[in-house]
Amino acid sequence: MEEADVLAFLRCPYAELVDFAVNFANLTRKEAAVIKLCGRLKYTQAEAAEELQCSEDAVQQWYKTAKHKLKMAWTGRTWIAKVCKEER
């Protein structure tokens, strides 16, 4: 699964389905917050850092780690791959 697939799935309009799938990755609260802001709501990392009152470096690290966890959790799940393709 590529990063573009992860973003496509995060941005699909089925919020409950996205939330369900994100739970597979066991993200930390900070990772989940950054995924919601940057992945789902399309905030920039600077905007997310301001919202979370932390550094951009912290947001960047949490986002990178979270995307990796999502890729690992979602790889091989055909229904996620299918939604990703539909959203492109």
Side-chain angles (χ1 to χ4, degrees), residues 20-29 31-32 65-66 69-70 73-74:
F20 176 74
V22 167
N23 285 331
F24 290 150
N26 294 319
L27 303 178
T28 67
R29 283 184 294 186
E31 291 166 347
T65 303
K69 287 182 180 180
L70 290 172
W74 294 351

Side-chain angles (χ1 to χ4, degrees), residues 16-87:
E16 291 174 353
L17 180 62
V18 173
D19 292 341
F20 176 74
V22 167
N23 285 331
F24 290 150
N26 294 319
L27 303 178
T28 67
R29 283 184 294 186
K30 292 174 182 177
E31 291 166 347
V34 170
I35 283 296
K36 179 179 179 181
L37 293 174
C38 295
R40 190 110 175 96
L41 300 176
K42 301 180 185 179
Y43 280 40
T44 66
Q45 291 182 359
E47 292 168 334
E50 186 176 328
E51 179 76 20
L52 298 172
Q53 298 180 337
C54 64
S55 71
E56 280 186 62
D57 289 340
V59 168
Q60 185 177 30
Q61 183 58 46
W62 296 330
Y63 191 52
K64 180 180 175 182
T65 303
K67 285 189 300 181
H68 176 73
K69 287 182 180 180
L70 290 172
K71 283 190 236 180
M72 297 305 291
W74 294 351
T75 296
R77 298 188 189 273
T78 55
W79 62 274
I80 290 177
K82 183 177 180 183
V83 171
C84 291
K85 288 178 184 171
E86 289 174 1
E87 293 307 312

